[in-house]
Amino acid sequence: MSEFDLIREYFLWDASPDTTVRISVGDDAAVLRIPLDKELIISVDTLNEGIHFPVKTPPHAIGYKALAVNLSDLAAMGAQPAWFTLALSMPVADTVWVGEFTRGMRELAQQHGIFLIGGDTTRGALSITLQVMGLAAPGKALLRSGAQHGDLICVSGTLGDAAAGLAVVQNRLALAAEAAEYCVQRLNYPTARLGLGNVLQGRATACMDISDGLLADLGHLLKASGVGARLHHALLPVSPALTSVALDQRLDFALRGGDDYELLFTLPKTLLAVVRQEASKQKIGVTVIGEIDAQQVDLQLDYAFSDKRCGYEHFS
Ligand code: ADP
Ligand code: MG
């Protein structure tokens, strides 16, 4: 199959009913009509085999996850997904693989109304780069930098499932069959919290998605906001699938594991009830895990890991 045929077969998706796309896949570049009353939000992420997903990950999951992690960045900004481009590098043009890969990606794209408008296809080690573009009302995008003294620190969903899933795939952790399947599913098919991001617009003082682990990512948020925080380990939302895991390891997954793609955000206390109510309409749990304390210089956690990889109190 020639490169041209491959593109036509797998990357030329249904014409967008969205009138913002004037020229899509097939020309030298895409042409978009950007709504004048919006700000354009852009993010790019690469997934490399063996680093961002295990070598034996099914292609359907790779396609899904590549888009999901990028959508998660738009969710974290409170943006509405609009368009994306796809740069795909692969060792051979395996049409079964590409078919499954694009099927996974397309399912999620259709679900969120985001349109593939172009890309590049090259030969090389398996690597997938997506650039997503979204729209938000001017000045309304959620940033990492607005957390205020006294704000509650909240997370969506549960933490540590994906890290446990990775440990299962790598034979470092044994779980009951159902729990193992749940965690691997969370690793391979993360959920971008776009609806919640929308709810948080105009409410959260700071927001980001958790991709590198709660401690690392909260550290970025605190730094951007110029504040400190207290975190309570007993409040961390952990799914029933992890109840059989020893506390130290469970907290390691929840605090230091990556790939959760839940939202981490700060809220004035008075807004918690309304955010919880709106989130529950989408069947998303919101858990308070700590509070912003501008008197702290960094992040204080009330738990000491036995391996001392992170100190008892301070992370910077
Ligand atoms: P050029 O040589 O001008 O860069 P290409 O042959 O790379 O053109 O691509 C032809 C068309 O196919 C372009 O519109 C490009 O955006 C699109 N395209 C190529 N690869 C992909 C891909 N993986 N996903 C989506 N569109 C793609
Ligand atoms: Mg090209």
Side-chain angles (χ1 to χ4, degrees):
M1 204 179 215
S2 74
E3 185 194 326
F4 179 78
D5 290 335
L6 191 83
I7 292 167
R8 200 180 42 195
E9 176 78 18
Y10 295 104
F11 302 111
L12 187 57
W13 297 357
D14 308 334
S16 152
D18 182 342
T19 54
T20 60
V21 183
R22 193 156 80 77
I23 299 294
S24 185
V25 172
D27 216 307
D28 291 309
V31 182
L32 304 171
R33 299 189 182 94
I34 314 286
L36 290 176
D37 59 343
K38 293 282 164 64
E39 281 180 341
L40 180 60
I41 318 278
I42 302 181
S43 176
V44 63
D45 262 314
T46 295
L47 281 80
N48 291 326
E49 181 174 44
I51 297 170
H52 301 95
F53 56 89
V55 172
K56 283 182 185 147
T57 306
H60 182 275
I62 298 171
Y64 187 101
K65 183 169 181 172
L67 181 56
V69 306
N70 277 279
L71 286 173
S72 178
D73 282 318
L74 291 182
M77 300 299 287
Q80 185 73 30
W83 318 285
F84 73 105
T85 58
L86 162 65
L88 174 64
S89 167
M90 54 190 169
V92 286
D94 174 346
T95 54
V96 175
W97 190 96
V98 177
E100 277 298 289
F101 170 82
T102 47
R103 194 168 65 81
M105 186 169 280
R106 210 164 158 168
E107 274 174 27
L108 188 61
Q110 280 169 350
Q111 208 175 305
H112 291 290
I114 188 166
F115 301 104
L116 179 61
I117 55 159
D120 200 21
T121 308
T122 56
R123 194 181 297 270
L126 183 58
S127 174
I128 302 127
T129 299
L130 266 73
Q131 181 174 51
V132 286
M133 289 152 271
L135 300 168
K140 297 288 190 221
L142 299 167
L143 309 180
R144 298 177 176 189
S145 54
Q148 301 288 320
H149 181 72
D151 283 351
L152 302 173
I153 301 171
C154 306
V155 291
S156 62
T158 55
L159 301 176
D161 301 325
L166 182 63
V168 166
V169 169
Q170 296 178 337
N171 295 315
R172 290 184 282 114
L173 177 70
L175 290 176
E178 206 174 303
E181 196 189 318
Y182 171 82
C183 291
V184 173
Q185 187 77 5
R186 288 270 288 162
L187 172 71
N188 287 341
Y189 292 92
T191 306
R193 301 294 189 188
L194 287 153
L196 180 60
N198 204 41
V199 165
L200 295 177
Q201 230 186 60
R203 292 178 170 133
T205 48
C207 183
M208 67 184 299
D209 66 331
I210 306 174
S211 53
D212 297 335
L214 176 66
L215 287 182
D217 287 326
L218 180 55
H220 298 315
L221 187 150
L222 296 178
K223 199 161 200 177
S225 295
V227 291
R230 285 187 306 269
L231 209 57
H232 310 292
H233 80 275
L235 298 181
L236 296 170
V238 177
S239 71
L242 299 191
T243 45
S244 71
V245 179
L247 180 69
D248 212 55
Q249 191 173 27
R250 198 181 334 139
L251 290 177
D252 182 57
F253 290 149
L255 288 164
R256 302 192 289 203
D259 267 5
D260 284 322
Y261 300 102
E262 294 295 346
L263 293 186
L264 167 66
F265 53 97
T266 54
L267 270 187
K269 282 192 179 76
T270 51
L271 295 180
L272 178 63
V274 64
V275 164
R276 276 210 166 123
Q277 191 180 9
E278 292 299 314
S280 76
K281 288 181 192 163
Q282 304 173 23
K283 300 193 165 40
I284 301 171
V286 166
T287 306
V288 176
I289 57 169
E291 56 280 326
I292 297 294
D293 182 348
Q295 263 89 62
Q296 298 282 144
V297 287
D298 50 17
L299 175 52
Q300 189 185 325
L301 170 69
D302 59 352
Y303 184 80
F305 282 105
S306 58
D307 67 1
K308 299 278 191 289
R309 249 201 299 149
C310 292
Y312 171 66
E313 282 179 327
H314 299 288
F315 301 88
S316 52

